Amino acid sequence: MMKNMNRLSFLLLLFALMTPSALSAEVQSVYSPNHDLCVNFDVNGGVPVYNVMFKGKQVIKDSRLGLDLISAKGSGKGTNFNNKVSIGQNSLMDGFTLTAVNYSSFDETWRPVWGEESEIRNHYNEMAVTLNQQEMGRYIIVRFRVYDDGLGFRYEFPLQDNLTYFVIKEERTQFAMPGDITAWWIGGDYDTQEYEYTRSRLSEIRGIFHSRITDNESQQQFSETGVQTSLLLKTDDGIYLNLHEAQLVDYPCMHLNLDDKNMVFESWLTPDAQGRKGYMQTPCSTPWRTIMVVDDARDMLASRLILNLNEPCKIEDTSWIKPVKYMGVWWELIAGKSTWHYTDEVPSVKLGETDYSHLKPNGKHGANNENVKRYIDFAADNGFDQVLVEGWNQGWEDWYGNSKDYVFDFVTPYPDFDIQMLNDYAHSKGIRLMMHHETSASTRNYERHLEEAYTLMNKLGYNSVKSGYVADILPRGENHYSQWIINHYQYCVEQAAKHHIMVNAHEAVRPTGLCRTWPNLIGNESARGTEYQAFGGTTPGHTAILPFTRLQGGPMDYTPGIFEMDLSKFAPNESKCLSTICGQLALYVTLYSPLQMAADLPENYARFMDAFQFIKDVPVDWQRSMYLEASPMEYITIARKDKNSDAWYLGGVTDTKPHDSVIKLDFLDKDRKYEATIYVDGKAADYKTNPQAYTITKKTVTNKTTLKLHSAPGGGFAVSIKPL
Ligand code: NOJ
Ligand code: CA
């Protein structure tokens, strides 16, 4: 067992033995490259157990590892244990002995196709433990990778005679908390993450959360302490933890259930239609279970742990993948000014059987030729790349709520949307249209039409698609986050890559860093985005928690840029966008995405063209990012350097409290002058009472300059800094 250990590891082991832990003398340890973080592993009475130490403090207490199975089969070549009556057959929980430990190190710098920085260092120490279940004649490997800012581990199931197929009842990975600490959480749900976050003690989750009921009786419900990942936590002595997963492929999405007597989280996988969790065939592995550990909140925003735990890019030629700044026939639909559907005449629609040319238009259809041209003109005049058009295709009269299998065919436009003409018009002005595929969560139907739909996109010159999965999943009984549907999302991304199409999937599973491997996955929603500002509003602190949680897995199509906060000014909608104009500008910097929308209507921007200038200028791809201030759900300030020039951009957001930032520009080049354009909330600005007040000033700055920037309640600031 000790054969593979190098001297350093042996010394570290000795050190680990001296640290307080319930682990036995057989403990195996692996340290982060800077030695601040340490994972200890042991097999205790046949049960695999690990804990995590950070700067000498235990941040994850002794936690069990393992999986409960429904069934397991061998290939029949080895010991035929299927005929043996054994209580252990469906348990990958106990009966283990540690038979090998392999240590290694890795240090490499890679260049993402797009990102928060142009180079990412992937530097870790690894420990892989081989666990034999002698009674069953089978084995598994648990692989730990420890970075300076966190760790990942996964279960690996090598190809072997006595473990070929198995069905997972539940993964039982524990994360034992170091006490009743603070969490920023959203409640468990198999279908959506579109919630605001709650900050509370772990012991308070039960009282606040009401578990959501699924309509499938064969599925276990969430407990009253079930939460989703990425989950942010903070110990009373200021250590931040984040629990999530990386590389979710061919496996269900993991949630966490809390045992709130002992403060132990345990994995809780999303069930399929039969209440089962995962169908596996060796060789295979689980996604990485990730634990970020930092003692400065800014380091969590700077962490690349999740990306690093994913595989390198699998697309050979990535030259067609380009970050996108876009506008769209969208906010006016969400706000209720116009409709996705073309006619009010039919109570129900059968695609293929409904002839739209005989139906009376309702006069409010948003995706009509004239309106789309208006957006194209405005986008072209202001240097955008694309224009999204929703409601362009037939089927919207009856698309949702009736569990219809066949709703959309993704290729047939409404009579007032001339798809060829509009694409030609857009291209003549240097704009591409962005395709919209609302699948109505009928995944089989989407797969039936996918090839034809992508082919049409290729023919007309679309290179990006916003897809969506509103409603209960079809096949019925499946969930948005179960294994079968995870495979569907992945299938769409891989097929899209073959067609040189970039994908931005809404309502799909929250991302886990797969955009490293498939950089054509340029966006996801999978959280509460701007649309909720039209559905009653979202508390300002929301955008100051997303970078700590949802954005850890990959970029979000948050759709910022609302300038007219009072929606009743242009739509029958009493909702108010709970933000200020400068707060909206800041989001282009603080919510990283290679896909950014200017979500408001052209006429609303036309009234504030001086503030709109920031949205026109701000890049969507970066060379460097610096996280200057950060407090979860309170405030975040980030500076980023353009990937393609020496210009810098600053953004800061705050919650309902005002915030004063003092920013040293010492990251600028020495001996160089820049022109800063500073967009700040006006003196009396306030997200509730005066959201449109702002001031814009210009001044010459150098790396010696300090900027004092005031954010109003619910507001923020934005600064562009261009070399002179
Ligand atoms: C929900 C999406 O988040 C939104 O952006 C889209 O407009 C609607 N679904 C319709 O597809
Ligand atoms: Ca949505």
Side-chain angles (χ1 to χ4, degrees), residues 192 194 466 469-470 506-507 525-529 531-532 535:
T192 182
E194 296 181 4
K466 170 182 173 180
Y469 294 86
V470 170
H506 280 224
E507 294 92 27
E525 185 192 44
S526 315
R528 187 182 174 99
E531 62 186 8
Y532 283 83
F535 310 154

Side-chain angles (χ1 to χ4, degrees), residues 194 330 334 340 390 396 399 436 438 466 470 506-507 525 531:
E194 296 181 4
W330 177 75
I334 293 284
W340 281 270
E390 297 200 5
W396 288 90
W399 69 284
H436 183 231
E438 172 54 64
K466 170 182 173 180
V470 170
H506 280 224
E507 294 92 27
E525 185 192 44
E531 62 186 8

Side-chain angles (χ1 to χ4, degrees), residues 348-356 393-399 404-414 445 449:
S348 75
V349 162
K350 282 205 168 162
L351 216 64
E353 294 174 23
T354 304
D355 180 359
Y356 278 88
N393 57 325
Q394 297 182 8
W396 288 90
E397 283 70 21
D398 178 21
W399 69 284
K404 280 172 55 163
D405 188 316
Y406 183 23
V407 176
F408 298 111
D409 68 5
F410 313 97
V411 293
T412 312
Y414 278 128
N445 182 53
H449 292 96

Side-chain angles (χ1 to χ4, degrees), residues 354-647:
T354 304
D355 180 359
Y356 278 88
S357 61
H358 299 303
L359 296 172
K360 192 168 148 260
N362 66 9
K364 291 188 298 178
H365 180 225
N368 66 72
N369 292 334
E370 203 191 323
N371 198 33
V372 174
K373 277 178 151 179
R374 200 169 68 86
Y375 277 84
I376 293 171
D377 291 344
F378 189 85
D381 288 348
N382 292 289
F384 283 79
D385 304 305
Q386 302 208 0
V387 169
L388 164 75
V389 187
E390 297 200 5
W392 67 276
N393 57 325
Q394 297 182 8
W396 288 90
E397 283 70 21
D398 178 21
W399 69 284
Y400 167 73
N402 295 313
S403 195
K404 280 172 55 163
D405 188 316
Y406 183 23
V407 176
F408 298 111
D409 68 5
F410 313 97
V411 293
T412 312
Y414 278 128
D416 59 347
F417 183 86
D418 185 338
I419 194 166
Q420 182 73 59
M421 179 277 286
L422 287 168
N423 274 284
D424 290 347
Y425 184 76
H427 297 164
S428 75
K429 298 196 147 207
I431 295 282
R432 278 184 202 257
L433 294 187
M434 185 184 290
M435 181 47 88
H436 183 231
H437 290 165
E438 172 54 64
T439 68
S440 64
S442 184
T443 53
R444 281 282 288 112
N445 182 53
Y446 191 36
E447 286 183 21
R448 282 184 202 118
H449 292 96
L450 199 63
E451 179 61 25
E452 208 190 329
Y454 285 166
T455 303
L456 178 75
M457 288 176 61
N458 286 156
K459 185 178 142 231
L460 292 167
Y462 289 85
N463 71 350
S464 63
V465 60
K466 170 182 173 180
S467 57
Y469 294 86
V470 170
D472 290 343
I473 294 281
L474 275 104
R476 298 186 185 94
E478 285 291 342
N479 296 301
H480 276 74
Y481 305 153
S482 46
Q483 183 188 27
W484 197 90
I485 308 297
I486 301 298
N487 290 346
H488 164 83
Y489 305 135
Q490 186 62 23
Y491 174 76
C492 295
V493 171
E494 292 185 25
Q495 291 304 111
K498 288 185 193 154
H499 285 268
H500 289 193
I501 288 170
M502 301 182 278
V503 177
N504 163 29
H506 280 224
E507 294 92 27
V509 70
R510 80 284 188 276
T512 55
L514 287 167
C515 58
R516 176 179 180 192
T517 316
W518 300 98
N520 65 318
L521 179 58
I522 51 167
N524 272 118
E525 185 192 44
S526 315
R528 187 182 174 99
T530 294
E531 62 186 8
Y532 283 83
Q533 300 283 15
F535 310 154
T538 296
T539 321
H542 185 61
T543 52
I545 185 67
L546 289 175
F548 287 100
T549 52
R550 160 64 183 77
L551 267 57
Q552 288 292 342
M556 176 173 178
D557 183 27
Y558 185 79
T559 67
I562 303 304
F563 277 17
E564 181 48 75
M565 311 300 164
D566 181 353
L567 277 60
S568 71
K569 290 261 168 68
F570 63 90
N573 190 322
E574 291 306 308
S575 218
K576 301 251 187 323
C577 175
L578 301 176
S579 183
T580 66
I581 285 184
C582 287
Q584 291 290 298
L585 296 183
L587 299 177
Y588 292 87
V589 181
T590 59
L591 295 179
Y592 166 68
S593 177
L595 172 82
Q596 288 285 21
M597 184 180 204
D600 212 335
L601 279 44
E603 55 269 41
N604 291 337
Y605 289 133
R607 291 159 49 210
F608 306 99
M609 285 308 281
D610 56 350
F612 188 59
Q613 186 62 41
F614 184 79
I615 301 181
K616 291 169 66 170
D617 288 348
V618 69
V620 281
D621 203 8
W622 305 100
Q623 219 175 107
R624 260 181 84 191
S625 291
M626 314 224 355
Y627 306 88
L628 304 175
E629 300 182 291
S631 178
M633 229 149 90
E634 292 183 333
Y635 55 83
I636 288 179
T637 301
I638 298 175
R640 302 192 197 268
K641 187 179 189 188
D642 181 14
K643 176 104 152 240
N644 303 306
S645 78
D646 286 340

Side-chain angles (χ1 to χ4, degrees), residues 5-6 15 36 195 211 233 297 371 391 403 474 494 544 563 565 582 589 598 669 706-707 714:
M5 290 184 71
N6 58 31
F15 178 74
D36 282 349
Y195 299 114
S211 65
L233 301 141
N371 198 33
S403 195
L474 275 104
E494 292 185 25
F563 277 17
M565 311 300 164
C582 287
V589 181
D669 289 349
T706 297
L707 294 181

